[in-house]
Amino acid sequence: MGIPRNGVGVDMLSERAKIMRDSLQKSQSITDNVVNILGSFDHRLSALETAMRPTQIRTHAIRIAHGNIDKTLKAAEVILSQFDISRQAEVKILKGPHEDIESYLQAIEQLRNNIRFFSNNKSFKSSDGVLNHANSLLSKAISKLEEEFKQLLLSYSKPVEPDRLFECLPNSMRPSSSPGHQEPNGKSRHSNAEQNGAENAVYTPPTLIPPRILPLLHDLAQQMVQAGHQQQFVKIYRETRSPVLEESLHNLGVEKLSKDDVQKMQWEVLEAKIGNWIHFMRIAVKLLFAGERKVCDQILEGFDSLNDQCFAEVTTASVAMLLSFGDAIAKSKRSPEKLFVLLDMYEIMRELRSEIESLFRGKACNEIRESAFGLTKQLAQTAQETFSDFEEAVEKDATKTAVSDGTVHPLTSYVINYVKFLFDYQSTLKQLFQEFENGGDSQLAAVTMRIMEALQTNLDGKSKQYKDTALTHLFLMNNIHYMVRSVRRSEAKDLLGDDWVQRHRRVVQQHANQYKRIAWAKILQSLSIQGLTSSGGSNSGSADGQNSSGVSRSTVRDRLKIFNGQFEELHQRQTQWTVPDTELRESLKLAVAEILLPAYRSFLKRFGPLVENGKNAQKYIRYSAEDLERMLGEFFEGKTLIEPKR
């Protein structure tokens, strides 16, 4: 079926198409116009930009110029401020440090900063002149600072008085009357416990310079060191502190003595000085040197090598003064009585060793430290040589003075007391032996044993001076008994051993038995029945009379006469002999009584009637058994040895 044609519809469509065509033509026209306009703008902008470029360049240059001006002004301001600081510092430095030391130190620091600034800004044309002026000013400032340091250190450096030093000691070591306290007989008596107490006691070093001054001295020292004035500082420090330290020791009583001075001294005087020296060494190291090191550490904190150098320079003379005396003693002529003081001196040097190592540390103190340790070794060597001399002297003692009563010889008591004192130094001796060889208890025991053997050898020789062999054995009995008893009551027993004691007790008994045999054998023979019976009994009816055994009255009388004479002689002689030990004396009397009295009673009982029935019986029977017992009680009652005090 066909579409009907409508004339109106076609016209409408045509109209609309025309409108659209017109619209498109207008849009194209507008677009072309806009493009033309934009192209015109682009051309104009390009021209404007070309026109503006010179202006932009000039503006940028102006900005750079302004920046440079600002920098220059700021640099000038810094330079001017440095000049201002320099002037302010100069004013303070020229015034000197007396009024305000803190400000003075600040001025020096400011001046140093000023020098650093101009050294780093050499482009400034006047920098050389400024630096020369600043360095000259700094040199003057440091010179004034040196003088200030010297005056400040000098004003607060005063010697320490002895009483103040004694107050710093532990209570147990404060002297009651004088610094050097000696025991009787010149030997320093002490136990190992006391020695350990001395080592562990707390010492409080004195305040040598007020604590409030030390920080200021530190700041002054720091400025001098930074200025390169180390040697000037050391010189000032040494010349100020060293004499003060020496004066403190001098006030205490320390003397500088040479070997010749020591050799000329009487032993009692020298012994007292040695006792004082031991006390002085302890005070010097634990108090004075310790205090001096503390001051050095605080003033020179941060300058270790300079610290050590200053401490060494300050203490050298004082240490030398102390050690020279010890060295003189160690090198003086050896004698037995010096052994104990040598051990005392060695002991104090050993005690102070760790503190000496701590105080005198560093390379600068090497010489002082080695001198102290050298003295310790020298004292040990001299003590050991003295020990050997003593052993030899005991064996070779040629004392001709015999003890007439057979008592303990002075040599025996001297040697035993000597050995007892040695055991007061037991730990020291062990250490001493280890200085040269592997020693200890075994070495000390061996030396003690040799001394005892040397004494016995000498006593054997001395015992031969007696014409009476009985007295020889009594003498040896007394002396060896004294040795045994002394060892049993001392620490020597632990070292020599119980075997030594038992062996020598048997020796004592052997000499007692020998005494009895030799002294009483002859008189006991007179009481023997041997030889009493007459030959053949031919006298049975004589006037002289006989008993049933055929013994004649005259023979019995002769025997009793001999007995009386011998006993009276023994009594007269042996009451002058001495057995100083009460127990040994009574034991010996009892032993004699046990062999004499029964024999006498038996003789009288058997043969006494023959005499009693004759004339003058009392002429022959002078003593009863009780009389003999009483008279035996008077034997060995010579003067008693005064026992050595322990």
Side-chain angles (χ1 to χ4, degrees):
M1 183 170 96
I3 297 173
R5 293 189 179 266
N6 189 335
V8 177
V10 173
D11 291 339
M12 286 178 69
L13 286 171
S14 297
E15 185 66 29
R16 287 179 181 170
K18 183 182 179 186
I19 291 168
M20 289 179 64
R21 196 164 46 248
D22 291 342
S23 296
L24 286 170
Q25 289 175 348
K26 287 179 181 179
S27 295
Q28 184 63 46
S29 179
I30 291 167
T31 299
D32 292 341
N33 289 336
V34 169
V35 169
N36 290 333
I37 290 168
L38 289 174
S40 176
F41 276 143
D42 184 55
H43 178 73
R44 290 174 183 174
L45 285 172
S46 178
L48 181 61
E49 184 179 354
T50 301
M52 287 293 292
R53 187 169 290 116
T55 303
Q56 289 174 343
I57 291 171
R58 286 194 299 272
T59 302
H60 180 67
I62 290 168
R63 285 175 181 167
I64 291 174
H66 276 295
N68 290 336
I69 291 168
D70 286 342
K71 288 179 181 177
T72 302
L73 289 173
K74 286 178 181 176
E77 186 179 346
V78 170
I79 291 171
L80 289 171
S81 69
Q82 288 298 323
F83 275 111
D84 188 47
I85 290 170
S86 180
R87 282 195 299 272
Q88 291 174 9
E90 184 171 3
V91 170
K92 292 178 181 177
I93 287 168
L94 291 175
K95 282 184 179 179
H98 308 294
E99 294 181 4
D100 188 350
I101 187 67
E102 295 295 337
S103 295
Y104 191 83
L105 291 173
Q106 289 174 5
I108 289 177
E109 193 57 40
Q110 289 170 346
L111 193 58
R112 282 208 173 93
N113 291 333
N114 189 265
I115 291 170
R116 279 192 290 270
F117 174 81
F118 284 106
S119 296
N120 294 329
N121 291 274
K122 292 280 189 158
S123 58
F124 179 61
K125 67 178 182 178
S126 300
S127 61
D128 288 342
V130 173
L131 282 171
N132 289 337
H133 179 72
N135 282 318
S136 175
L137 188 61
L138 182 61
S139 180
K140 291 177 182 176
I142 297 300
S143 294
K144 290 183 179 181
L145 205 62
E146 285 180 10
E147 187 61 30
E148 180 67 15
F149 177 82
K150 181 178 180 180
Q151 292 303 321
L152 193 63
L153 186 64
L154 188 62
S155 63
Y156 287 101
S157 293
K158 305 295 180 187
V160 185
E161 293 303 318
D163 287 344
R164 188 167 154 229
L165 286 171
F166 297 152
E167 289 171 2
C168 298
L169 292 170
N171 289 333
S172 61
M173 295 197 175
R174 293 178 186 177
S176 54
S177 56
S178 60
H181 175 66
Q182 294 293 307
E183 292 290 336
N185 300 323
K187 296 178 178 66
S188 303
R189 298 291 301 280
H190 63 278
S191 65
N192 290 333
E194 288 171 338
Q195 181 186 342
N196 292 334
E199 292 179 3
N200 298 326
V202 177
Y203 295 78
T204 308
T207 301
L208 302 181
I209 292 178
R212 62 186 176 81
I213 302 299
L214 290 170
L216 179 56
L217 289 171
H218 169 73
D219 291 341
L220 295 175
Q222 190 174 36
Q223 292 293 341
M224 291 174 66
V225 173
Q226 287 178 357
H229 290 215
Q230 290 94 330
Q231 293 312 309
Q232 294 95 315
F233 175 85
V234 172
K235 183 174 183 291
I236 291 170
Y237 198 84
R238 179 187 65 244
E239 291 178 352
T240 305
R241 293 297 307 163
S242 184
V244 172
L245 179 59
E246 287 184 65
E247 190 174 349
S248 296
L249 289 171
H250 178 73
N251 292 343
L252 190 63
V254 176
E255 302 173 86
K256 189 169 186 178
L257 297 172
S258 67
K259 184 180 176 182
D260 289 339
D261 295 330
V262 167
Q263 295 284 29
K264 293 174 185 175
M265 284 184 189
Q266 293 292 325
W267 169 240
E268 292 75 14
V269 175
L270 182 59
E271 191 176 29
K273 287 189 180 295
I274 291 170
N276 289 341
W277 180 85
I278 290 166
H279 198 56
F280 296 155
M281 279 298 298
R282 190 177 276 122
I283 289 174
V285 173
K286 292 178 178 283
L287 299 181
L288 286 172
F289 296 160
E292 203 64 56
R293 174 52 98 170
K294 188 176 180 181
V295 169
C296 267
D297 287 345
Q298 290 179 286
I299 292 178
L300 288 165
E301 184 181 359
F303 303 99
D304 292 346
S305 61
L306 189 61
N307 181 351
D308 294 341
Q309 183 184 354
C310 284
F311 181 68
E313 298 255 358
V314 167
T315 55
T316 293
S318 294
V319 172
M321 183 164 57
L322 286 163
L323 296 187
S324 65
F325 178 78
D327 192 61
I329 297 296
K331 293 177 179 176
S332 63
K333 185 179 178 181
R334 298 193 301 270
S335 59
E337 66 270 15
K338 283 184 182 176
L339 177 60
F340 299 102
V341 294
L342 285 167
L343 292 174
D344 284 334
M345 294 171 76
Y346 171 76
E347 199 171 79
I348 188 63
M349 293 304 294
R350 288 286 311 173
E351 176 190 325
L352 299 174
R353 183 183 179 90
S354 61
E355 278 141 312
I356 290 171
E357 284 182 331
S358 174
L359 292 172
F360 295 93
R361 59 184 180 269
K363 186 177 179 181
C365 297
N366 276 353
E367 190 174 340
I368 297 175
R369 197 167 57 247
E370 292 307 315
S371 294
F373 297 159
L375 174 60
T376 307
K377 190 165 280 291
Q378 181 65 54
L379 288 167
Q381 183 176 342
T382 306
Q384 191 174 52
E385 289 170 355
T386 304
F387 217 147
S388 300
D389 291 347
F390 177 70
E391 182 184 332
E392 186 178 347
V394 170
E395 187 169 357
K396 295 182 178 179
D397 177 74
T399 306
K400 296 297 182 184
T401 307
V403 283
S404 58
D405 58 356
T407 189
V408 175
H409 196 280
L411 177 67
T412 304
S413 57
Y414 176 74
V415 171
I416 294 301
N417 277 338
Y418 205 87
V419 171
K420 285 180 182 178
F421 279 116
L422 285 177
F423 278 90
D424 283 343
Y425 293 87
Q426 193 169 166
S427 62
T428 304
L429 286 166
K430 290 175 188 175
Q431 188 65 53
L432 185 145
F433 290 133
Q434 289 170 2
E435 289 272 357
F436 302 99
E437 53 191 299
N438 294 325
D441 285 345
S442 59
Q443 180 70 9
L444 183 57
V447 171
T448 306
M449 195 82 75
R450 289 201 303 269
I451 290 174
M452 291 299 200
E453 288 171 358
L455 176 59
Q456 282 183 258
T457 300
N458 191 287
L459 291 172
D460 285 339
K462 284 180 169 41
S463 69
K464 293 178 172 59
Q465 296 177 15
Y466 297 106
K467 294 179 180 179
D468 190 330
T469 312
L471 185 55
T472 293
H473 289 287
L474 189 80
F475 170 78
L476 291 171
M477 177 197 73
N478 277 331
N479 282 269
I480 296 173
H481 177 267
Y482 182 87
M483 292 166 64
V484 171
R485 185 195 61 186
S486 299
V487 167
R488 287 179 64 196
R489 295 178 180 179
S490 72
E491 295 177 72
K493 180 183 178 183
D494 297 331
L495 212 57
L496 295 176
D498 193 58
D499 180 64
W500 185 94
V501 173
Q502 295 304 324
R503 188 167 68 253
H504 284 78
R505 287 181 73 178
R506 289 194 293 272
V507 172
V508 172
Q509 189 58 52
Q510 287 168 7
H511 284 299
N513 292 339
Q514 287 290 84
Y515 155 77
K516 287 188 297 179
R517 184 182 64 78
I518 294 169
W520 297 94
K522 193 174 180 181
I523 195 171
L524 288 172
Q525 188 64 36
S526 67
L527 298 176
S528 171
I529 62 172
Q530 292 180 1
L532 285 175
T533 306
S534 59
S535 58
S538 59
N539 295 327
S540 58
S542 69
D544 210 16
Q546 288 180 322
N547 69 1
S548 59
S549 300
V551 178
S552 68
R553 180 179 291 115
S554 62
T555 303
V556 172
R557 284 176 175 174
D558 288 341
R559 287 290 189 92
L560 286 172
K561 187 176 179 181
I562 291 169
F563 174 84
N564 292 336
Q566 289 178 338
F567 183 77
E568 286 165 4
E569 182 183 351
L570 286 169
H571 179 268
Q572 182 182 6
R573 191 185 316 148
Q574 295 197 24
T575 52
Q576 303 302 313
W577 293 359
T578 301
V579 178
D581 183 80
T582 304
E583 185 179 345
L584 182 61
R585 182 171 64 246
E586 295 306 316
S587 173
L588 194 60
K589 288 178 183 178
L590 181 61
V592 171
E594 284 176 347
I595 58 172
L596 180 65
L597 297 181
Y600 187 69
R601 287 192 181 102
S602 176
F603 188 89
L604 289 183
K605 183 178 180 181
R606 189 168 182 179
F607 304 110
L610 277 176
V611 178
E612 290 169 354
N613 293 332
K615 297 178 181 179
N616 302 318
Q618 292 181 347
K619 178 180 177 182
Y620 302 102
I621 305 177
R622 294 182 186 176
Y623 307 106
S624 65
E626 290 71 22
D627 291 333
L628 293 182
E629 186 174 10
R630 176 183 57 78
M631 293 175 74
L632 283 175
E634 297 170 357
F635 277 50
F636 321 126
E637 291 287 349
K639 57 183 180 180
T640 304
L641 178 72
I642 299 174
E643 295 293 332
K645 294 181 180 180
R646 275 284 297 168

